[in-house]
Amino acid sequence: MATTQLSDAEIDRRLAELPGWQRCEGRLLRTFEFADFVAAFGWMTRVAIIAEKLDHHPDWKNVYRRVEVELSTHDAGGITERDLTVAAEMSRLAQLG
Amino acid sequence: MATTQLSDAEIDRRLAELPGWQRCEGRLLRTFEFADFVAAFGWMTRVAIIAEKLDHHPDWKNVYRRVEVELSTHDAGGITERDLTVAAEMSRLAQLG
């Protein structure tokens, strides 16, 4: 199920395909850097639409061209498929021009 | 000048017109709450465009329908007119439907 907490081993296996993401205390963490604020917020806007569609929203902090992201599934008390799905989308969207 | 650090007394005087904002260690702080994520991110998008236009960007953290904002002017080492301008715009935009 999408809302079942995954094992650390399973998460680490999946993160091998998601460079830059770290597992820390039941959350997925990554800091994204962009060319400038417009690029950073443009990426956030794309992510926001996908996150709303998936009904799974990040905790994120933006400081000019940087965005620090935390993903976790509060209902499950840890990391689930839904976090990995949003993480993969974030990585994919960051690679677009 | 817009980039001159303001005195605490002057900031407090100005904040009387900006309910919800607090002065703390050279920064202006406020947490905004909205009906849901779409409302929160919609507000952030409006603010982002104004911030870019003013070339003065907030540090902000979004968690679903909440946005925690910090404003300061790094070059001045404190709070300036520019922070008060962005704070006023944020407050104004939060009151729109």
XYZ file of all heavy atoms in Angstrom, chain B residues 5-17 23 28 79 81 84:
149
model
N 19.666 50.311 7.727
C 19.030 49.615 8.833
C 18.210 50.596 9.656
O 18.671 51.686 9.978
C 20.122 48.953 9.683
C 19.566 48.000 10.722
C 20.678 47.308 11.502
O 21.755 47.072 10.974
N 20.421 46.983 12.747
N 16.985 50.192 9.983
C 16.104 51.063 10.749
C 16.288 50.811 12.237
O 16.660 49.721 12.657
C 14.651 50.802 10.354
C 14.307 51.029 8.885
C 12.879 50.583 8.594
C 14.506 52.484 8.491
N 15.976 51.811 13.037
C 16.044 51.649 14.497
C 14.889 50.778 14.971
O 13.844 50.699 14.318
C 15.967 53.015 15.184
O 14.665 53.537 15.053
N 15.089 50.123 16.118
C 14.017 49.297 16.683
C 12.754 50.121 16.910
O 11.641 49.651 16.659
C 14.467 48.669 18.015
C 15.473 47.546 17.787
O 15.688 47.153 16.617
O 16.047 47.061 18.780
N 12.944 51.349 17.380
C 11.783 52.199 17.668
C 11.004 52.499 16.383
O 9.766 52.447 16.357
C 12.231 53.498 18.334
N 11.744 52.799 15.322
C 11.096 53.090 14.045
C 10.378 51.849 13.525
O 9.236 51.931 13.029
C 12.143 53.567 13.028
C 11.654 53.709 11.597
C 10.623 54.820 11.408
O 10.392 55.587 12.364
O 10.034 54.903 10.310
N 11.026 50.685 13.626
C 10.397 49.440 13.153
C 9.108 49.177 13.939
O 8.064 48.882 13.352
C 11.358 48.254 13.300
C 12.556 48.439 12.364
C 10.657 46.936 12.994
C 13.750 47.580 12.721
N 9.190 49.298 15.259
C 8.002 49.027 16.081
C 6.865 49.986 15.743
O 5.688 49.598 15.727
C 8.359 49.099 17.571
C 9.233 47.935 17.991
O 9.305 46.934 17.241
O 9.863 48.023 19.057
N 7.233 51.231 15.467
C 6.218 52.219 15.085
C 5.527 51.774 13.797
O 4.296 51.791 13.689
C 6.875 53.585 14.891
C 5.897 54.749 14.777
C 6.611 56.070 14.531
N 7.249 56.136 13.223
C 6.611 56.314 12.061
N 5.288 56.435 12.053
N 7.260 56.361 10.915
N 6.324 51.333 12.838
C 5.777 50.901 11.552
C 4.983 49.604 11.670
O 3.989 49.404 10.971
C 6.925 50.729 10.546
C 7.747 52.012 10.334
C 7.008 52.989 9.459
N 6.852 52.431 8.132
C 7.822 52.444 7.215
N 8.971 53.039 7.456
N 7.614 51.904 6.033
N 5.437 48.719 12.541
C 4.740 47.432 12.689
C 3.355 47.596 13.306
O 2.511 46.703 13.179
C 5.567 46.450 13.513
C 6.815 45.875 12.835
C 7.419 44.783 13.703
C 6.510 45.326 11.439
N 3.127 48.715 13.951
C 1.786 48.965 14.494
C 0.747 48.960 13.377
O -0.427 48.669 13.599
C 1.768 50.302 15.229
N 1.215 49.260 12.143
C 0.309 49.257 10.981
C 0.300 47.909 10.263
O -0.362 47.754 9.243
C 0.742 50.354 9.996
C 0.601 51.758 10.547
C 1.485 52.746 9.789
O 1.766 52.521 8.598
O 1.912 53.745 10.409
N 9.141 41.614 15.262
C 10.570 41.892 15.087
C 11.336 40.949 16.020
O 11.015 40.826 17.198
C 10.839 43.344 15.460
C 12.290 43.739 15.517
C 12.440 45.229 15.786
N 11.858 45.677 17.044
C 12.409 45.480 18.242
N 13.558 44.839 18.351
N 11.809 45.916 19.339
N 12.096 40.399 10.412
C 10.648 40.463 10.571
C 10.082 39.060 10.377
O 10.415 38.380 9.403
C 10.030 41.384 9.515
C 10.336 42.871 9.616
C 9.600 43.619 8.492
C 9.924 43.418 10.976
N 16.885 45.058 9.538
C 15.604 45.355 8.900
C 15.654 46.747 8.266
O 16.089 47.704 8.903
C 14.467 45.292 9.940
C 14.357 43.862 10.507
C 13.146 45.731 9.323
C 13.514 43.768 11.766
N 13.712 49.497 5.034
C 12.474 49.840 4.312
C 12.033 48.720 3.395
O 10.839 48.476 3.221
C 12.693 51.086 3.437
C 12.453 52.428 4.051
C 11.112 52.586 4.741
O 10.065 52.082 4.273
O 11.119 53.225 5.790
N 10.036 46.135 5.164
C 8.700 46.630 5.501
C 7.811 46.693 4.259
O 6.611 46.419 4.332
C 8.799 48.002 6.175
C 9.397 47.948 7.587
C 9.820 49.326 8.043
C 8.392 47.347 8.570
